[in-house]
Amino acid sequence: MERYRGKRHFAKTSEPRGADAPAGESAGFVVQIHDATTTHFDFRLEVDGVLKSWSVPKGPSADPREKRLAMPTEDHPLEYREFEGVIPSGEYGAGPVIVWDEGTYRPLSEDFAHALERGHATFWLDGGKLHGGWALTRFRGGGTHGGDEGREAWLLVKQSDARAAREARTPDPQRARSALTRRTLKQVTEEDGEAD
């Protein structure tokens, strides 16, 4: 949480600090759409009292043939599962955020936290939009080199099961609606904050 808190000024942003994060009964997940420097989907899984997080530029796909790049970001507090609003200009990640999907998940890999450390974890999602088996697999480790070649990179892939959908389309982030409030990114910006 130190890395997460170090990037934010909580006097300026309404993002949760994470100081009073309660431990949940069941493991949860959230997928948020974030219109920052680039528009992307943030995929977050509750693991060991935090939300392990990946930025997924093209969003999750229900088509098992589509492997989606997932770049790890800092752990977020559990309260971030419900965060929707506008991160102010000048702050890390400035721009509107909506909750696109949320729900619970169950690990299919034994010792899930350790499976993530090793670089391959499977899990079952029960969300409003995303269902069934999924896998996160690290294909490039975070080395000590400079530039992108040293950045850790993962793939998020839907497993072939009854919940898979061939030719599945990820929604247009600008037209997608929040799972919590039914608002679009534009509506969140108009109602909650500044446009930038």
Side-chain angles (χ1 to χ4, degrees):
M1 294 307 310
E2 186 176 320
R3 189 170 160 220
Y4 169 84
R5 290 188 186 116
K7 292 182 173 186
R8 290 160 176 84
H9 298 97
F10 294 102
K12 296 180 182 178
T13 182
S14 61
E15 294 172 280
R17 182 174 174 74
D20 302 311
E25 288 291 314
S26 61
F29 82 94
V30 65
V31 181
Q32 290 158 313
I33 300 177
H34 187 182
D35 191 6
T37 307
T38 60
T39 304
H40 61 278
F41 291 71
D42 286 313
F43 184 81
R44 307 185 200 283
L45 294 172
E46 181 182 335
V47 181
D48 292 340
V50 298
L51 293 174
K52 294 290 185 189
S53 301
W54 292 262
S55 173
V56 182
K58 293 184 178 181
S61 172
D63 186 340
R65 298 172 300 174
E66 294 187 10
K67 296 171 177 65
R68 295 297 172 93
L69 177 66
M71 299 299 288
T73 64
E74 70 275 7
D75 294 346
H76 283 54
L78 295 180
E79 298 100 328
Y80 218 91
R81 281 182 63 186
E82 298 173 5
F83 177 72
E84 188 165 283
V86 178
I87 301 169
S89 261
E91 291 300 302
Y92 175 75
V97 177
I98 62 170
V99 173
W100 178 70
D101 194 19
E102 52 99 29
T104 60
Y105 83 94
R106 82 184 142 81
L108 299 176
S109 302
E110 285 190 40
D111 190 358
F112 194 70
H114 193 240
L116 284 172
E117 285 177 26
R118 287 191 316 263
H120 180 72
T122 56
F123 46 95
W124 186 273
L125 296 180
D126 286 308
K129 298 176 176 108
L130 301 179
H131 306 278
W134 294 76
L136 273 165
T137 304
R138 184 174 48 229
F139 69 90
R140 183 174 65 211
T144 56
H145 332 2
D148 277 350
E149 67 274 0
R151 285 192 66 197
E152 189 175 306
W154 295 64
L155 293 175
L156 176 64
V157 181
K158 176 73 184 82
Q159 294 181 335
S160 291
D161 58 29
R163 298 297 202 151
R166 299 283 185 205
E167 310 297 325
R169 290 185 179 214
T170 303
D172 174 354
Q174 298 303 325
R175 296 175 57 97
R177 295 202 171 266
S178 163
L180 301 180
T181 64
R182 303 295 301 148
R183 298 185 299 171
T184 64
L185 289 167
K186 182 178 179 184
Q187 289 170 324
V188 167
T189 299
E190 290 170 352
E191 295 169 16
D192 294 1
E194 57 196 74
D196 228 349

